Amino acid sequence: MKGKHFKKKEIHFFRKALILILAIIFIISLVVIIFWLKSNIQLSKIEKEVIEQVVTENNEESEEKKGSISVDFQKLSEINSDVIGWIYIKNTDINYPILQTDDNEYYLKRDIYKNYSSCGSIFLDCNSNIDFSDDNTIIYGHNLKNQKMFADLAKIYNGELGESIEIEIYLKTQVKIYEVITSYEEEPNLEIIERNFKENGKEEYINKNMEKSKVKFKYTASLTNNIITLVTCDSTGKNRIVVTAVEKIWHKKSIEKVRIITYYSINKIRLIS
């Protein structure tokens, strides 16, 4: 009888312990969900607030590519002096300031106001030059479940945005346009992404990435031009999605040359007639 009574007490104890453990798990999960929702709401609020202050759409067509938007860097610098540029990709939600410090960990968990945020910010590698003059300039961002930050890089990787994609980079003194040439997935720290290459190093690097690329992209720029590499996590967080793009060069001299040729061609026709 005593054995049965002890066994009942033991079952009752384990039942209580299980309920307590499940209750703790539920409370922790609820706190995590609330925190996640709060972070996402805060991110959306900051995005809207910053974009309304500093970004305007460009509707005018011009001979020299100036980009789809205009960015007020004076206002951006007042918000945060760590802002070095802006990234914009059409048909995506990628429309963000680019920040940089001497520590790549800093903006992993901070917003543009330097407040803690699990969403982090889009940031330039701490070793990259802010004028994008490196052979390869590297930019990082989180892949969030709400499709914010660099989540839309997955669409480029999966081919959802097609084979011709431009990435617009806005700096304080110029606009740079890049064409996507590769997109692939790899394990974290599988290899170091190089910033500057030795002789023939860039060609080998690009060719290797093209072999790994899931999509065969169309581009017009020369592969000898500088490139950028965008890096984010995949949906599992275990691997990295890497997108590489090459710069399109817009020469004012070329435009002037076309104008001169056109001028002389018109006047030659007039003389003949």
Side-chain angles (χ1 to χ4, degrees):
M1 291 293 289
K2 285 183 178 179
K4 285 184 179 180
H5 182 68
F6 178 76
K7 195 172 183 180
K8 280 183 179 179
K9 276 190 171 181
E10 195 177 48
I11 292 168
H12 185 65
F13 170 78
F14 281 116
R15 189 177 291 166
K16 274 189 170 182
L18 182 60
I19 291 169
L20 182 62
I21 291 168
L22 290 173
I24 291 169
I25 293 170
F26 174 77
I27 291 166
I28 291 171
S29 300
L30 189 62
V31 169
V32 169
I33 290 168
I34 290 170
F35 184 75
W36 181 81
L37 287 171
K38 186 179 177 182
S39 296
N40 282 287
I41 290 167
Q42 184 67 14
L43 173 63
S44 297
K45 183 182 176 184
I46 290 170
E47 275 183 20
K48 186 179 178 183
E49 186 178 279
V50 173
I51 288 172
E52 284 179 353
Q53 285 186 70
V54 304
V55 175
T56 53
E57 289 187 12
N58 285 341
N59 297 317
E60 293 181 8
E61 292 292 329
S62 62
E63 290 173 318
E64 185 183 2
K65 184 75 173 179
K66 291 184 178 178
S68 304
I69 60 173
S70 293
V71 181
D72 189 334
F73 279 100
Q74 186 175 341
K75 285 183 181 178
L76 268 177
S77 296
E78 290 170 5
I79 295 171
N80 187 338
S81 59
D82 289 340
V83 174
I84 60 90
W86 193 279
I87 183 168
Y88 175 84
I89 305 178
K90 284 182 181 178
N91 302 317
T92 73
D93 283 333
I94 298 174
N95 186 22
Y96 296 103
I98 305 170
L99 298 106
Q100 187 193 46
T101 63
D102 57 4
D103 178 8
N104 279 344
E105 299 291 321
Y106 189 82
Y107 281 109
L108 272 174
K109 298 291 182 182
R110 285 183 176 85
D111 61 28
I112 191 172
Y113 296 109
K114 299 185 178 182
N115 296 321
Y116 176 83
S117 169
S118 60
C119 301
S121 298
I122 304 299
F123 61 95
L124 192 70
D125 186 273
C126 62
N127 295 309
S128 291
N129 288 316
I130 61 173
D131 61 357
F132 284 57
S133 59
D134 291 318
D135 291 342
N136 184 14
T137 300
I138 306 162
I139 308 172
Y140 304 99
H142 285 303
N143 180 352
L144 302 179
K145 294 187 185 298
N146 64 354
Q147 299 303 305
K148 296 295 183 181
M149 306 311 284
F150 267 180
D152 278 345
L153 291 188
K155 292 181 180 178
I156 296 176
Y157 167 70
N158 291 322
E160 292 178 47
L161 299 182
E163 298 172 340
S164 300
I165 302 166
E166 288 189 346
I167 298 171
E168 301 177 20
I169 300 291
Y170 298 80
L171 304 177
K172 292 178 181 179
T173 58
Q174 60 183 316
V175 179
K176 290 178 175 285
I177 309 297
Y178 296 82
E179 292 179 302
V180 174
I181 53 174
T182 69
S183 64
Y184 57 93
E185 193 175 293
E186 66 178 11
E187 295 176 7
N189 304 320
L190 186 65
E191 60 181 355
I192 297 171
I193 299 173
E194 296 181 59
R195 290 187 301 110
N196 290 297
F197 303 95
K198 294 178 182 178
E199 189 177 355
N200 298 323
K202 185 192 286 185
E203 185 180 352
E204 291 174 8
Y205 178 81
I206 291 172
N207 287 338
K208 183 172 64 177
N209 290 347
M210 282 184 168
E211 289 175 8
K212 294 187 285 186
S213 186
K214 192 173 180 179
V215 180
K216 301 303 177 187
F217 293 98
K218 296 176 182 177
Y219 54 91
T220 58
S222 169
L223 294 180
T224 60
N225 297 343
N226 288 344
I227 61 176
I228 58 171
T229 298
L230 312 184
V231 184
T232 193
C233 296
D234 69 355
S235 57
T236 67
K238 294 178 181 178
N239 293 321
R240 301 288 176 266
I241 293 173
V242 182
V243 173
T244 308
V246 64
E247 184 179 2
K248 291 175 73 173
I249 307 297
W250 299 84
H251 295 289
K252 286 185 178 179
K253 287 183 179 179
S254 298
I255 294 169
E256 290 302 320
K257 190 176 179 181
V258 169
R259 285 174 178 166
I260 290 167
I261 292 169
T262 304
Y263 173 80
Y264 281 109
S265 296
I266 290 169
N267 279 279
K268 189 177 180 181
I269 291 167
R270 283 175 180 170
L271 286 170
I272 293 169
S273 58

